[in-house]
Amino acid sequence: MSRAEERRPVRIGNVSGFYGDRLDAAREMIETGDVDVVCGDYLAELTMLILAKAQAREGGVGYARTFLTQVEQILAGCTERGIRIVANAGGLDPAGLAGAVRAVAAAQGIAVRVAHVEGDDLRGDLSAIDPPVGRTPVSANAYLGAWGIAEALAAGADVVVTGRVTDASLVVGPAAWWHGWAPDGWDALAGAVVAGHVIECGPQATGGNYPFLHEITDRRRPGFPIAEVAADGSSVITKPDGTGGLVSVGTVTAQLLYEIGPPAYPGPDVTAHFDTIRLERAGEHRVAISGVRGSPPPDTLKVALNDVGGYRNTMTLVLTGLDIEAKAAWAEELLFGILDRDAFDDVDVRLLRFDRPDAGSNPEATAHLRITVKGADRRLVGRGFSNATMELALGGYAGFHTTTPPTDATAFGIYRPARVPRTAVTHAVVLPDGTRRTVADPPTSGPIQPQVTAPPPVGEQSNGAAGEQSRAATRRVPLGAVAGARSGDKGGDANIGIWARDDAGHDWLAAFLTPQRIRELLGPEAAGLDVEVFDLPNLRAVNVVVHGLLGDGVASSTRPDPQAKGLGEYLRSRLVDVPAQLLPG
């Protein structure tokens, strides 16, 4: 009997979804989760820019300091229970973080074996990146896979810290080690990628950011998720007993749809096919994931580049009562009579309407004129701009005031996605005894093939067959009456995953939500953008990608919601004609 057949599912608990997440989640997990491995995700695209700035300061470090705080809290408990720790908190200095973990262990008198994974930092040689790098970025990191983590665990590491690996690698690596998987076990690896994708954002899988509030009867803060990954790659998603929140087919579906693109989800170890995922309730706060198919990964790796873009500043002018649009137009005219609009690299003016006629209170009668400027001249973008807005105070529109005093400029970053051949990257693991090993690449499938969205069954302006069947019996209600949504950012693109409660609801969604209709529902800011809609019938869902909505990424975007976190809820709030038989009750 093989090792894979002998071993029970490995229980992997997530204790961090981002740099700054709840610190006591790690202690809660080891005390109540009964897990074999704790993992934590600390690295977003924006985080790499933050860490680069921190590393550049005198005495600064390029890793996530909060991870060390968690290690101080749980290292003794993990040692007593035999729990392994895996985290990507190493950021731009995984070797430095590994040394800091050893120092924590020494201070507590604990013998601990620490390994780290490196090779993702490409700042030393940018020549192979495609498209070519025009200027030296602040950070340039390839997304490594899981096999360095697996090798470190197999060598006896108690703690493994990495730089930029994919978020799912924090689950795939421990699962591959535990079950003894081969690098070409595509279906098992793909199943682990899906499990990792579900738990990588912590409590977003256990009721956090979930649109159907009435389903969450335990309103305590949600517990962090656990993935029980079996030898065939199937898994069960759950949470520690006694913690708040909810694990349901709905909460797992929501997280599966978060920040994805086409159904073929390429990673460094495997391409996971999200249109093969099957979900089933497996008990209270337990959801089984099965059926995931995998295929070889591409022969390139994703690269995240962050540049310093210059300086930005925002001032928000408050407009009250009558003639809102006229007041806003006059304020803009006066401001750029004082300032030369062309002296800035970018000017973004947004009139945000919160006002209502005959408002019952003063705040309900207000709108905001939000003006953001960008440029290379810090003095001009800073006090030069914000002080100019204050010159309108006595000579501008009636009721002038601002939400803040004059503000100074802040630096902003520009995110750029790229790719690099695997041959230009050395994925390496440094084992607890100091031995450095190069991690072999898995078999690959060649270049990524472009995927084309299937055309809607009838046309952009039609509901299709579902619409024809129910046109005489519809009700105009918010889309959210029949669909959930979760949205987020993928660099400069926004994604919205939208799912229905049953097959009939999905059939209607898939026909109704064409690219043109998405543009119409999202309003003017999406009017000229490329929109893709991908069908995921196994999840009763569609995934929408709005290209370019977020400009150059979160650190640069001038949208009030720069990561598109609320975009899905906005879409759910829009009134549409829904077949009456789909509505609850």
Side-chain angles (χ1 to χ4, degrees):
M1 184 177 289
S2 71
R3 179 186 177 192
E5 291 172 326
E6 292 173 349
R7 300 216 75 170
R8 62 171 172 79
V10 58
R11 284 175 57 92
I12 304 169
N14 172 281
V15 298
S16 176
F18 69 100
Y19 187 14
D21 209 346
R22 178 155 64 93
L23 280 176
D24 66 353
R27 181 190 289 130
E28 178 182 273
M29 183 62 70
I30 70 160
E31 291 177 352
T32 64
D34 188 25
V35 293
D36 305 296
V37 180
V38 293
C39 69
D41 177 20
Y42 299 80
L43 302 183
E45 293 152 355
L46 176 61
T47 312
M48 303 306 288
L49 178 63
I50 294 170
L51 292 177
K53 290 180 179 179
Q55 189 181 48
R57 292 195 293 267
E58 184 176 354
V61 298
Y63 53 77
R65 292 178 179 271
T66 54
F67 172 72
L68 282 180
T69 301
Q70 290 182 306
V71 168
E72 290 172 351
Q73 295 174 352
I74 69 170
L75 191 58
C78 287
T79 302
E80 293 168 4
R81 296 171 174 86
I83 299 172
R84 309 292 182 102
I85 302 173
V86 178
N88 63 10
L92 297 172
D93 188 10
L97 180 57
V101 171
R102 293 187 188 98
V104 168
Q108 295 185 0
I110 300 172
V112 64
R113 295 162 293 185
V114 183
H116 71 274
V117 175
E118 59 187 21
D120 60 294
D121 193 339
L122 304 181
R123 288 177 293 182
D125 183 1
L126 304 169
S127 60
I129 295 175
D130 183 37
V133 178
R135 57 179 177 175
T136 303
V138 174
S139 67
N141 296 84
Y143 283 69
L144 302 180
W147 290 106
I149 296 170
E151 193 161 341
L153 293 170
D158 303 302
V159 180
V160 184
V161 294
T162 77
R164 179 70 275 185
V165 298
T166 65
D167 301 343
S169 292
L170 304 173
V171 168
V172 179
W177 155 70
W178 185 270
H179 294 298
W181 289 341
D184 60 354
W186 307 127
D187 291 349
L189 291 167
V193 165
V194 169
H197 185 75
V198 172
I199 73 169
E200 70 187 35
C201 290
Q204 279 199 167
T206 59
N209 282 325
Y210 190 58
F212 299 114
L213 292 177
H214 65 277
E215 293 183 10
I216 305 173
T217 57
D218 189 338
R219 296 294 180 89
R220 294 175 297 167
R221 62 184 182 183
F224 275 61
I226 297 169
E228 300 173 354
V229 184
D232 63 354
S234 63
S235 62
V236 171
I237 305 301
T238 185
K239 66 184 183 68
D241 293 340
T243 59
L246 171 70
V247 178
S248 68
V249 169
T251 67
V252 172
T253 297
Q255 181 56 27
L256 282 172
L257 297 172
Y258 183 62
E259 296 184 346
I260 63 171
Y265 188 81
D269 300 315
V270 64
T271 297
H273 296 271
F274 274 47
D275 51 357
T276 62
I277 298 170
R278 295 192 179 276
L279 303 180
E280 184 179 6
R281 186 176 186 272
E284 186 178 17
H285 300 304
R286 294 179 64 82
V287 173
I289 303 175
S290 63
V292 186
R293 301 301 302 273
S295 59
D299 59 6
T300 58
L301 297 174
K302 176 183 172 182
V303 177
L305 303 170
N306 281 298
D307 296 321
V308 172
Y311 297 95
R312 64 184 291 170
N313 198 0
T314 298
M315 287 294 291
T316 301
L317 284 57
V318 181
L319 312 159
T320 308
L322 305 178
D323 306 319
I324 294 293
E325 293 184 2
K327 289 173 180 174
W330 191 32
E332 185 177 353
E333 180 182 347
L334 287 174
L335 178 61
F336 291 106
I338 299 168
L339 296 169
D340 179 5
R341 195 180 195 117
D342 293 335
F344 300 98
D345 294 339
D346 184 41
V347 175
D348 183 83
V349 181
R350 296 172 186 259
L351 177 58
L352 308 178
R353 301 296 298 265
F354 314 121
D355 55 300
R356 64 178 67 178
D358 191 26
S361 67
N362 192 330
E364 292 176 309
T366 62
H368 286 175
L369 184 65
R370 190 174 186 269
I371 306 172
T372 301
V373 295
K374 295 179 180 178
D377 185 338
R378 179 166 191 166
R379 181 176 298 179
L380 174 64
V381 172
R383 293 293 180 173
F385 163 69
S386 59
N387 286 343
T389 64
M390 303 311 294
E391 293 185 30
L392 310 184
L394 303 182
Y397 62 84
F400 174 94
H401 60 288
T402 60
T403 59
T404 64
T407 54
D408 203 355
T410 57
F412 72 91
I414 295 175
Y415 166 78
R416 289 182 290 139
R419 303 204 76 81
V420 66
R422 288 176 180 269
T423 54
V425 177
T426 302
H427 182 177
V429 57
V430 179
L431 301 176
D433 64 1
T435 303
R436 188 176 189 272
R437 294 182 187 170
T438 298
V439 178
D441 286 325
T444 63
S445 61
I448 296 177
Q449 298 300 317
Q451 294 192 337
V452 180
T453 306
V458 175
E460 289 281 299
Q461 302 300 326
S462 171
N463 285 4
E468 292 291 342
Q469 294 169 3
S470 58
R471 186 165 294 156
T474 62
R475 287 179 56 194
R476 194 157 183 81
V477 297
L479 178 61
V482 293
R486 176 162 293 170
S487 57
D489 63 319
K490 289 182 69 65
D493 302 337
N495 111 283
I496 315 169
I498 308 149
W499 73 96
R501 300 300 193 89
D502 53 34
D503 292 338
H506 164 259
D507 291 344
W508 175 78
L509 274 180
F512 181 74
L513 292 178
T514 64
Q516 180 57 29
R517 185 163 280 112
I518 291 292
R519 293 187 195 96
E520 293 168 358
L521 292 174
L522 293 183
E525 68 172 347
L529 300 180
D530 180 24
V531 175
E532 293 182 284
V533 180
F534 302 99
D535 193 15
L536 295 162
N538 281 10
L539 299 177
R540 296 171 174 160
V542 296
N543 182 48
V544 174
V545 180
V546 185
H547 294 276
L549 185 73
L550 308 180
D552 293 316
V554 56
S556 176
S557 177
T558 55
R559 295 183 81 247
D561 175 15
Q563 290 181 288
K565 298 292 189 181
L567 192 64
E569 287 302 286
Y570 171 60
L571 184 63
R572 292 182 71 237
S573 75
R574 298 306 309 272
L575 296 179
V576 297
D577 294 320
V578 174
Q581 67 265 33
L582 299 181
L583 295 171

